[in-house]
Amino acid sequence: MFEIPSEEFVARAEKLKVLMLEKDIQTILVYGDEYRKENLRYISNYWPLFERGAAIVPLIGEPFVIAAPEGEMFCREMSAWKDIRLIPEFACVTVPDKIEYPFAHYTSLKVICSGLKDSNKLQRLGIVGLDAMPEALLREITQSFAGVEIVDAGDLLFQLRMTKSNREIACLQEAARIADAGYKLMIEQVKPGMTELELASLAHGECTKQGAESIPFCLLTSGERVNTIIGRASRKVIQNGEMIMAAIAVQVEGYVATLNFPFVAGDVSAEQKAFITLLVEAEELALSKLKAGAKQGELVSAVKAYFAAKDVTQYDLYPPLHGCGLAEAESPYPDENSTSTFKAGMTVNTDVSLFGHPHGSNRIEESLVVTETGYESMSKLVRQLSKTWREQGIISLVQ
């Protein structure tokens, strides 16, 4: 079973406390909701549904979770921490109405603040998730924690999340395995005359059947629609010879692996073959620069230099690699000037792409683990497709 054990959440909290001491922060509030779940799930395993949530991590004492009434039992089912407290400000995120929950046992932010002042001599409160928090909630926190300095502590969580434990990597590997299964089914069954929605539904269904906790997105466009860079599947009918750009992200225990490899419905033209070859060769070049100790900017520069040599720079719109983990895209997201180095245990996605090219728009994306000597791909399918393409110039799913 793929899961993060309770002792790992304890270890995360202890690591965070070390960073808090360095920053003279006595307590951290980690905000999250259904859409921006990453930091909250990292520290508490709670992923709110409809409502808001937060974890409080004090220097002295055990963390606790703040939730809202409708999701209280769901929170207790998921949370790594037993102490769950309810406040009305965390109720349903999508309506302005005040919702009555007559049996809810509320506390308040003021009461929480008072307790933290007593137990932790609270002077500085770090908030993780300021960029995701609604203004009204931040105002309520500021008023309730009157006399306490509030600082942005988001960098502390991003720092902790940058490298992954073996358990985290296992969750990502399982997500990649499931994504492979869904994507493979699309390549096997795509045919002219089906709609984009029909094709995408194959991946959705297979990934759910294989055990995906969630499918954060299944991007799918065809023909001229591939030039939108990203796009949801539509009722458009796929024609013979149209390129498909599909990217599927699969989530397991919060961890998201993503897969994208170009394919064509029906007959493949020589121009499409040449275009896909550009992406395959560029990704192989990127992978040759990926290992612990290597500068992240050098990988980006190598891909950009290759595209420049092939005279396709105008279609190269963004860097070819980013981190992955509890979000499909997370730090690092290096550019050519980055002097940061890769570290063993980092998990990243290649995202080698060209958009607006006369013969198509597409990307190759696969999730990888950085190792001391190079990398380990989480996607057997992308490695197989890439190898077959380089050897034969065709997309083949023959084992």
Side-chain angles (χ1 to χ4, degrees), residues 162 289 291-300 321 332-343 346:
M162 192 81 74
K289 304 292 184 181
K291 67 177 180 179
K295 289 184 179 179
Q296 297 171 14
E298 290 180 357
L299 182 151
V300 179
L321 178 137
Y333 211 134
D335 60 20
E336 292 173 276
N337 301 314
S338 175
T339 58
S340 298
T341 57
F342 293 109
K343 294 181 174 62
M346 278 186 173

Side-chain angles (χ1 to χ4, degrees), residues 127-145:
I127 296 183
V128 176
L130 279 172
D131 58 330
M133 185 180 292
E135 183 181 352
L137 179 57
L138 178 57
R139 187 167 55 248
E140 183 69 28
I141 292 171
T142 302
Q143 292 172 353
S144 298
F145 283 75

Side-chain angles (χ1 to χ4, degrees), residues 50-338:
F50 306 137
E51 302 172 318
R52 298 183 174 94
I56 298 288
V57 183
L59 269 178
I60 300 172
E62 195 170 89
F64 59 90
V65 175
I66 301 174
E70 189 173 359
E72 179 183 0
M73 297 309 296
F74 180 49
C75 179
R76 293 186 183 281
E77 179 183 65
M78 289 195 74
S79 176
W81 309 105
K82 295 181 187 271
D83 188 351
I84 311 296
R85 308 182 192 184
L86 308 183
I87 63 170
E89 289 85 2
F90 276 26
C92 186
V93 302
T94 58
V95 298
D97 312 63
K98 183 178 179 181
I99 304 173
E100 294 295 334
Y101 293 100
F103 301 109
H105 298 287
Y106 287 124
T107 184
S108 70
L109 289 168
K110 287 183 179 178
V111 169
I112 290 172
C113 176
S114 177
L116 290 168
K117 283 182 176 178
D118 290 340
S119 62
N120 277 263
K121 298 187 167 104
L122 178 60
Q123 295 179 328
R124 298 183 87 217
L125 172 71
I127 296 183
V128 176
L130 279 172
D131 58 330
M133 185 180 292
E135 183 181 352
L137 179 57
L138 178 57
R139 187 167 55 248
E140 183 69 28
I141 292 171
T142 302
Q143 292 172 353
S144 298
F145 283 75
V148 175
E149 181 185 1
I150 293 177
V151 297
D152 186 349
D155 62 315
L156 303 188
L157 263 290
F158 285 115
Q159 185 176 335
L160 290 178
R161 287 170 48 199
M162 192 81 74
T163 56
K164 309 298 190 292
S165 69
N166 290 336
R167 293 275 191 164
E168 291 177 289
I169 290 170
C171 291
L172 281 165
Q173 289 171 330
E174 175 65 1
R177 182 197 67 78
I178 294 169
D180 278 1
Y183 210 91
K184 180 178 179 180
L185 194 62
M186 288 196 293
I187 294 177
E188 288 175 335
Q189 298 196 19
V190 64
K191 60 181 181 292
M194 70 193 315
T195 67
E196 293 173 347
L197 282 166
E198 287 177 299
L199 183 58
S201 73
L202 297 176
H204 269 276
E206 185 63 21
C207 290
T208 301
K209 179 181 175 182
Q210 293 273 345
E213 176 184 59
S214 176
I215 301 169
F217 61 77
C218 181
L219 310 179
L220 195 147
T221 54
S222 63
E224 292 186 0
R225 289 195 71 226
V226 298
N227 292 321
T228 60
I229 304 178
I230 60 172
R232 296 186 178 93
S234 72
R235 294 182 180 86
K236 176 189 172 298
V237 176
I238 299 169
Q239 305 298 320
N240 180 57
E242 286 190 332
M243 183 174 285
I244 310 296
M245 181 165 63
I248 186 160
V250 169
Q251 179 176 307
V252 170
E253 289 298 308
Y255 291 85
V256 183
T258 308
L259 187 163
N260 190 155
F261 197 94
F263 62 101
V264 176
D267 300 319
V268 186
S269 69
E271 292 82 5
Q272 288 171 330
K273 286 184 177 182
F275 173 79
I276 295 172
T277 297
L278 284 173
L279 294 177
V280 170
E281 291 181 349
E283 200 218 10
E284 291 303 312
L285 181 58
L287 293 177
S288 73
K289 304 292 184 181
L290 182 61
K291 67 177 180 179
K295 289 184 179 179
Q296 297 171 14
E298 290 180 357
L299 182 151
V300 179
S301 295
V303 173
K304 290 191 172 295
Y306 172 82
F307 283 151
K310 297 295 183 179
D311 197 27
V312 292
T313 295
Q314 63 181 308
Y315 312 115
D316 176 23
L317 303 186
Y318 54 74
L321 178 137
H322 57 73
C324 69
L326 285 163
E328 185 273 336
E330 62 180 40
S331 298
Y333 211 134
D335 60 20
E336 292 173 276
N337 301 314
S338 175

